[in-house]
Amino acid sequence: MSGRKPYTRSMSGWWKRDPFFTAYMVREATSFIVAAYAIVLLVGLVRLGQGKEAYDGFMQALQSPISVVFHLVTLAVFVYHTWSWFQIMPKTMPMIFISGKRLEGATITRTGVAVAVVVTIVFLAFVMGVTR
Amino acid sequence: MKRANDPIFWLPFGAGGVLAALFGPALVLITGFAAPFAIGLGPDALGYDNMMAFAHNAIGKLFLFAIVVFFLWHAALRIYHTLHDFGVHVGTVLKLIIFGGSLVATVIAVWTLLAIGF
Amino acid sequence: MSASEIKTIEIEVLRYRPEQDTEPFWQSFQVPFSHDTSVLEGLQSIKDDLDATLSYRWSCRMAVCGSCGMMISGKPKLACSTFLRDFYPNKVQVGPLEHFPIERDLVVSAEGFISKLEKITPYIVPKEPRTIEQGEYIQTPLQLKQFLQYSGCINCMLCYAACPQFGMNPKFIGPGLMALVHRYNVDSRDGAREQRMELVDEEDVGVWSCTAVGYCSEVCPKKVDPANAVNQNKVNSALNYFGRFLKPQGGQK
């Protein structure tokens, strides 16, 4: 007769076990804020479709203290999203070889973040330019 | 074998992730601070006339669609995974709320953009 | 501390003896060690001098056999290449690899892992069979580099202990074996990609259980980077998913 009695451990609270897991869960949980921001933009779009009065009301609401707090949190979330997106990018990309040498993960991350910074500056400058 | 349907959700997730990484911070700066408080932008920078002109433009329309819809689908897949990671059993009802909700939002966005016209 | 100086460190071991315990418990030992004593040697001195009933797996003592994977102070590590000096004066906690059923003490059940290994066709099925007279298969350095890194896996299962998605869903093929799937799929000599992709595409079994936590690659002692192998196959699986509608005989499976 077999004397085996394998013991299976619980997974409850696994994300508290290792700081790496906690950082991962923070990355994933930022999605709730991303969804909230997308809904705010959608509301703005719907109000725009409803006419000037409705849209002005929406823009007015963006000046409220709640809106400011929400956008401060959202800004932090998006900056973290940008950083974490390019942090994991080397893992999600096919191997790239340049003249026989593999492109290193750190190079991919740095390039990604640099592109994001450039896009941010260009986009801000563009919006400032066309709305002047 | 049951083939996973995940690619359907993974593609818009990826598109939204890239858009959020590139445009997210700048967009929040504009819509949350610069435009409503006229910091670095004119008081009517995102005013009704400007935004209507933007929404009438084909590229503007596409941009608005992509930002709203792909941000949502990006978030939807992560929310689905996050709930699962926290040990919540994501059954049919929760799936309907998360992905059905995203679908409804997509329809509203498309309908609004089409109603605004070209 | 000089190389030969002997000090004493506390090692806490998670014990589980199936014939008498209903659940695991921590047991503490005071173990002498010097500068070059590994955690594995610490366990060996417990077994030799303090408690002969302690069970653990080991073989090569030089990080190539993959037998002595354990949770060492919470991190998946090989006991033979982790040193007690790095924890002193604090204690070291040694437990069996996470996410696997505990068989006894530090020994986990590898049955699930082995049965998956048997399913993934972990060998080259020649694309075109060649006779000895035809000579060897020619491969360019670049073709070699496509899979060389992924062939470094020693099946130590540390990446499984680092993968919460495997912990929550034991059906998931998991990081290490997915890296092995990729290793054969991208080998220019191999012709069995299609049958392996069936597993990659499968619900709850294939790549889509991965949420890109990325810890598997951090803990890999051989720098195999399984997370990269898994996520490259999300692209392949997505291409399969949409591509089958384009093929003339698509949608058969």
Side-chain angles (χ1 to χ4, degrees):
Chain A
M1 199 192 96
S2 161
R4 292 184 60 189
K5 200 179 76 185
Y7 182 87
T8 303
R9 286 162 283 182
S10 162
M11 281 299 283
S12 86
W14 62 268
W15 59 88
K16 290 178 266 182
R17 218 162 56 203
D18 197 297
F20 201 99
F21 291 153
T22 312
Y24 158 77
M25 283 304 249
V26 169
R27 183 190 90 192
E28 297 296 288
T30 55
S31 55
F32 287 93
I33 302 292
V34 174
Y37 182 65
I39 289 167
V40 168
L41 293 182
L42 179 65
V43 169
L45 182 62
V46 169
R47 300 305 265 169
L48 182 70
Q50 288 171 343
K52 184 165 167 43
E53 211 168 308
Y55 184 72
D56 285 347
F58 170 75
M59 287 307 285
Q60 204 85 57
L62 287 183
Q63 293 176 358
S64 69
I66 296 171
S67 166
V68 172
V69 172
F70 169 76
H71 282 93
L72 277 174
V73 174
T74 307
L75 182 62
V77 157
F78 271 100
V79 170
Y80 185 70
H81 172 87
T82 300
W83 183 82
S84 61
W85 187 262
F86 292 114
Q87 192 68 30
I88 197 71
M89 190 163 236
K91 304 269 170 263
T92 60
M93 273 180 41
M95 293 204 262
I96 298 170
F97 291 96
I98 294 171
S99 56
K101 278 190 88 175
R102 180 159 185 206
L103 192 63
E104 275 188 53
T107 314
I108 296 172
T109 300
R110 272 200 299 270
T111 310
V113 171
V115 168
V117 169
V118 170
V119 167
T120 301
I121 292 167
V122 169
F123 185 65
L124 285 174
F126 175 77
V127 172
M128 285 166 92
V130 293
T131 58
R132 190 176 296 276
Chain B
M1 161 201 152
K2 190 160 185 286
R3 185 189 281 273
N5 286 318
D6 298 63
I8 296 173
F9 302 97
W10 181 71
L11 284 183
F13 158 81
V18 173
L19 284 175
L22 293 178
F23 294 102
L27 270 172
V28 177
L29 278 174
I30 291 166
T31 69
F33 306 101
F37 298 101
I39 307 165
L41 291 177
D44 291 322
L46 294 198
Y48 181 74
D49 295 336
N50 274 352
M51 283 312 288
M52 272 312 255
F54 188 60
H56 272 110
N57 178 287
I59 295 172
K61 224 183 252 306
L62 203 65
F63 183 80
L64 290 172
F65 167 82
I67 291 297
V68 173
V69 169
F70 288 130
F71 274 24
L72 258 180
W73 284 96
H74 168 80
L77 187 63
R78 274 203 168 158
I79 287 171
Y80 170 70
H81 284 312
T82 306
L83 291 175
H84 171 261
D85 288 349
F86 275 120
V88 179
H89 174 69
V90 189
T92 317
V93 175
L94 268 174
K95 271 189 204 165
L96 258 175
I97 293 172
I98 296 169
F99 297 113
S102 301
L103 196 63
V104 169
T106 304
V107 171
I108 292 174
V110 170
W111 190 80
T112 306
L113 282 167
L114 289 178
I116 286 173
F118 289 87
Chain C
M1 104 193 222
S2 80
S4 56
E5 192 185 348
I6 304 291
K7 293 187 174 181
T8 302
I9 190 169
E10 180 184 0
I11 301 183
E12 258 188 4
V13 184
L14 195 68
R15 301 296 306 269
Y16 175 66
R17 299 154 301 178
E19 62 283 344
Q20 59 192 108
D21 301 328
T22 51
E23 57 181 40
F25 65 96
W26 289 102
Q27 187 178 3
S28 179
F29 299 96
Q30 295 293 326
V31 179
F33 78 105
S34 62
H35 186 73
D36 57 357
T37 309
S38 65
V39 173
L40 178 61
E41 288 171 304
L43 294 174
Q44 285 169 328
S45 78
I46 293 174
K47 191 169 177 75
D48 288 348
D49 303 327
L50 302 171
D51 188 340
T53 67
L54 180 65
S55 295
Y56 52 92
R57 287 197 179 111
W58 65 283
S59 179
C60 76
R61 298 165 290 120
M62 50 193 193
V64 292
C65 77
S67 305
C68 67
M70 301 169 191
M71 302 304 293
I72 300 177
S73 291
K75 308 279 180 192
K77 283 178 183 296
L78 297 178
C80 67
S81 60
T82 307
F83 291 88
L84 291 172
R85 61 171 186 254
D86 295 329
F87 300 89
Y88 186 81
N90 298 317
K91 67 180 177 187
V92 188
Q93 281 195 318
V94 185
L97 281 181
E98 285 286 352
H99 307 153
F100 292 98
I102 305 175
E103 201 69 64
R104 173 188 296 273
D105 295 340
L106 301 173
V107 177
V108 295
S109 168
E111 280 170 334
F113 180 85
I114 297 297
S115 75
K116 286 176 204 161
L117 179 60
E118 288 169 345
K119 277 196 204 125
I120 61 163
T121 322
Y123 45 85
I124 292 172
V125 178
K127 202 185 276 172
E128 37 149 356
R130 290 167 80 92
T131 62
I132 290 176
E133 291 71 38
Q134 283 176 295
E136 64 274 71
Y137 291 86
I138 304 294
Q139 207 160 43
T140 67
L142 201 59
Q143 286 174 325
L144 179 70
K145 277 180 187 163
Q146 295 295 326
F147 69 81
L148 191 60
Q149 165 193 329
Y150 305 111
S151 69
C153 177
I154 57 174
N155 293 353
C156 67
M157 309 193 295
L158 294 193
C159 52
Y160 285 78
C163 178
Q165 300 305 339
F166 167 69
M168 286 181 280
N169 167 26
K171 277 158 75 183
F172 176 34
I173 286 183
L177 291 178
M178 208 56 96
L180 209 54
V181 163
H182 189 67
R183 177 253 171 274
Y184 290 105
N185 278 356
V186 295
D187 191 315
S188 59
R189 299 163 292 184
D190 180 78
R193 183 179 188 273
E194 211 160 307
Q195 71 195 54
R196 292 191 203 97
M197 284 309 288
E198 274 188 34
L199 289 166
V200 171
D201 294 337
E202 190 174 340
E203 190 173 78
D204 292 338
V205 173
V207 278
W208 300 103
S209 284
C210 168
T211 56
V213 179
Y215 201 29
C216 52
S217 293
E218 295 288 318
V219 304
C220 177
K222 294 292 164 189
K223 304 257 184 297
V224 169
D225 199 356
N228 190 214
V230 173
N231 283 281
Q232 286 184 66
N233 279 293
K234 284 184 186 167
V235 178
N236 295 337
S237 182
L239 287 173
N240 269 0
Y241 188 87
F242 295 108
R244 75 203 147 111
F245 300 117
L246 302 173
K247 283 184 198 149
Q249 288 182 321
Q252 279 186 332
K253 274 168 186 165

